[in-house]
Amino acid sequence: MDIYDEIGVKKYINAHDTYTVYGGSRMAENTLTAMREASRSFVDLSELQEKLGDRIARLTRNQAAYITNGSSAGLLLSAAVCMTQGDPFLFSRLPDVSRCPRNEIIEMRCQRNAYDAAVSASGARLVEIGDADETLETELRGAIGEKTAAVFYYASSRYAGAAMPLEKVVEIAHGARVPVVVDAAAQLPPVENLWKFTSMGADLVLFSGGKTLCGPQPTGLIFGDPELIGYCRRFGAPAHGICRSSKVGREEMTGLYTAVRNYMELNREETRRRLESMVQNFIDAMNTTGAFRAERLSRGPVGQTYPRALGIIVADFAAEELAAAMRAGDPGVYIGVDRSFGNAVYLSPLNLSDREAETVTAVLRKNVLKLLQC
Ligand SMILES: *Cc1c(COP(=O)(O)O)cnc(C)c1O
C-alpha cells in the first residue's frame, strides 16, 4: 500500500513520454536522498542557487546557470531579464512594460506554441515574423528595431522546415546587439545539446529538469551569458516581483544538481541497448497480432535521439480506441497516438522498467485481441 492507494488515486504505466500531465519522469534514489538531506537544514537560498549554478555550469560546459522551477518559468524570467537588463525599477513594475525601452520579443509564426503564454505573462509584446511555410531573413532584419528586447527560438524539430536556422537568427540578432533565447525544454538526449545551443551563440538556453534529466518535476535550467544569468539570480525567485510565483526550494535545487550529475555520468551505451531491446520487443509483439505494420522510429516526438516503436494500424479500429482501452485498464497504460503517421500508436521505452515493459506488451496484446473481436 502506497500513498496513491491510500488516497484512492489510480496509478499508470507511462509508455507515452515525459509528459507533465502524468508526472514527467522518475527520480533516482540518490536524487531523493539529496532532497531529503537538503530539507533537514536551513541555508541562504541565494548562496545555494549560486553555488549549484556554478557547479551545474561546469558539469555541462556552460559559462553560467540558474535553476528555475521549469522551462515555462524560465521563459517568463528570460523575457523579464531581457526587457529590464538589470534595472530593479523596471523589473519591479512588470508586467507593466510601459517604461521599458525594449519591450518587444520576436518569435517566428511557425514556432508559436502553448508555452508562449509564459512569455506574454512578462508583459512583453510578441512580434511575429514569417508564416507557416517559411521565415525570410529580411523579415527578421526588418522586425528588429530599437524596442526589440530579444528573439525567442524553439529548438524542437517539429518546426524545422519553416523556421530560420538558429545560426542565422544568432548572426542577425547579434548584428543588432539583440539577445537570442532558445527554448530547448525537451531536447535531451543527446547530452551534447546541454552545451550545443550556448556554443552556437544563444544568450540564454532553457531545459526542463523533470523530463529526460529525471530531476524533480518542478525544476528547470537556464544556461548562458554570465551577465544575463546574473540578472536571473538577482530578480528570479525568491526575489519579489513577477517571478516570485515560480519559486524553487532547496530540496528541488539539490535534487536537480544530483540529477544533472547522474545524467552526465550515465552509461549511455548500456541505456541505448536497453531502450533498443525494449523497442524491438514492442515491434515484434505488435507485428505478431497482425493488427499493425510496426517499425522503429529513431527519434522522440521533438527530435530527441531515443528510439520508439511505431504501430501503424492495419485492422479495423482507431488508434484512439486502443489508447483509451489501455488507459482504462488496471494497471492503466499511457501510450502515444500520432496521426501524422495515419492511424497509428507509438510506445516509448523512456519511462519503463523492464518489468513494466513486459506488462505493456501483455496489456497491448489483450486489448488488440479484444478490439479485433468487436
Ligand atoms: C515541456 C516544455 C516546456 C515547459 O517545461 P516545464 O519544465 O514543464 O515548465 C516549455 N517549452 C517546451 C518546448 C516544452 O517541451
Side-chain angles (χ1 to χ4, degrees):
M1 175 124 165
D2 68 11
I3 185 74
Y4 295 123
D5 298 326
E6 184 189 322
I7 56 187
V9 166
K10 180 169 164 175
K11 288 178 280 195
Y12 293 86
I13 292 173
N14 180 3
H16 190 178
D17 211 297
T18 54
Y19 288 110
T20 298
V21 287
Y22 314 143
S25 55
R26 282 192 177 113
M27 289 184 270
E29 283 305 321
N30 65 342
T31 302
L32 293 164
T33 303
M35 294 176 76
R36 183 175 318 111
E37 281 176 10
S39 76
R40 296 299 85 193
S41 303
F42 297 95
V43 293
D44 177 334
L45 217 60
S46 300
E47 182 191 358
L48 184 65
Q49 173 71 261
E50 252 182 67
K51 292 203 166 142
L52 289 179
D54 291 346
R55 278 172 180 256
I56 290 172
R58 267 200 305 278
L59 279 171
T60 59
R61 308 185 196 181
N62 280 291
Q63 284 186 281
Y66 176 84
I67 301 170
T68 68
N69 79 347
S71 290
S72 192
L75 288 168
L76 170 62
L77 180 57
S78 299
V81 301
C82 287
M83 285 191 295
T84 58
Q85 288 292 330
D87 185 317
F89 171 70
L90 293 179
F91 186 85
S92 71
R93 290 177 59 105
L94 296 181
D96 173 0
V97 298
S98 57
R99 302 281 289 273
C100 290
R102 292 176 177 271
N103 56 23
E104 292 180 357
I105 286 174
I106 298 176
E107 278 193 29
M108 292 185 232
R109 193 170 271 114
C110 66
Q111 295 192 339
R112 293 296 307 261
N113 65 77
Y115 300 101
D116 289 340
V119 184
S120 306
S122 68
R125 192 167 81 81
L126 291 190
V127 175
E128 289 185 355
I129 57 168
D131 57 36
D133 298 315
E134 63 179 354
T135 314
L136 301 175
E137 288 173 29
T138 48
E139 282 205 67
L140 179 56
R141 288 185 204 281
I144 291 178
E146 55 187 27
K147 294 182 90 55
T148 308
V151 181
F152 275 47
Y153 188 95
Y154 293 83
S156 166
S157 64
R158 285 191 197 184
Y159 314 120
M164 199 184 305
L166 180 60
E167 291 90 338
K168 208 67 204 168
V169 172
V170 168
E171 181 194 315
I172 294 171
H174 284 185
R177 300 172 148 272
V178 165
V180 176
V181 178
V182 173
D183 178 355
Q187 303 305 131
L188 293 173
V191 61
E192 293 81 16
N193 277 358
L194 286 170
W195 53 90
K196 176 181 160 185
F197 306 110
T198 32
S199 62
M200 286 169 76
D203 301 87
L204 293 174
V205 180
L206 282 47
F207 287 94
S208 292
K211 294 179 179 168
T212 321
L213 272 178
C214 295
Q217 251 296 287
T219 59
L221 283 163
I222 308 182
F223 293 124
D225 169 67
E227 190 177 5
L228 289 174
I229 294 294
Y231 299 153
C232 292
R233 288 174 176 178
R234 194 173 335 151
F235 297 135
H240 286 289
I242 193 167
C243 295
R244 179 62 177 79
S245 48
S246 17
K247 81 174 180 186
V248 196
R250 62 202 191 289
E251 298 86 355
E252 287 77 25
M253 289 184 189
T254 50
L256 180 61
Y257 166 62
T258 311
V260 170
R261 232 178 30 200
N262 287 345
Y263 194 70
M264 297 310 296
E265 289 167 3
L266 192 70
N267 184 336
R268 280 170 231 292
E269 186 46 33
E270 189 188 305
T271 306
R272 193 192 62 79
R273 268 202 303 267
R274 207 175 73 82
L275 299 186
E276 290 290 356
S277 136
M278 272 189 210
V279 164
Q280 193 54 53
N281 289 340
F282 289 148
I283 291 172
D284 294 343
M286 285 199 271
N287 281 332
T288 310
T289 64
F292 300 96
R293 198 172 65 242
E295 61 185 78
R296 174 183 175 275
L297 293 175
S298 60
R299 298 283 175 143
V302 293
Q304 307 97 320
T305 51
Y306 58 77
R308 292 180 291 162
L310 177 75
I312 298 166
I313 298 169
V314 295
D316 192 21
F317 61 84
E320 290 81 5
E321 284 180 88
L322 176 60
M326 290 182 70
R327 220 165 36 231
D330 187 19
V333 176
Y334 288 123
I335 64 168
V337 171
D338 193 336
R339 283 278 162 186
S340 66
F341 292 98
N343 186 21
V345 297
Y346 68 83
L347 303 176
S348 166
L350 207 56
N351 278 302
L352 300 175
S353 67
D354 292 343
R355 185 142 179 205
E356 287 174 329
E358 283 172 26
T359 308
V360 170
T361 306
V363 171
L364 178 87
R365 203 177 278 132
K366 192 182 83 183
N367 282 286
V368 168
L369 289 181
K370 233 190 275 175
L371 285 165
L372 289 176
Q373 281 159 11
C374 286

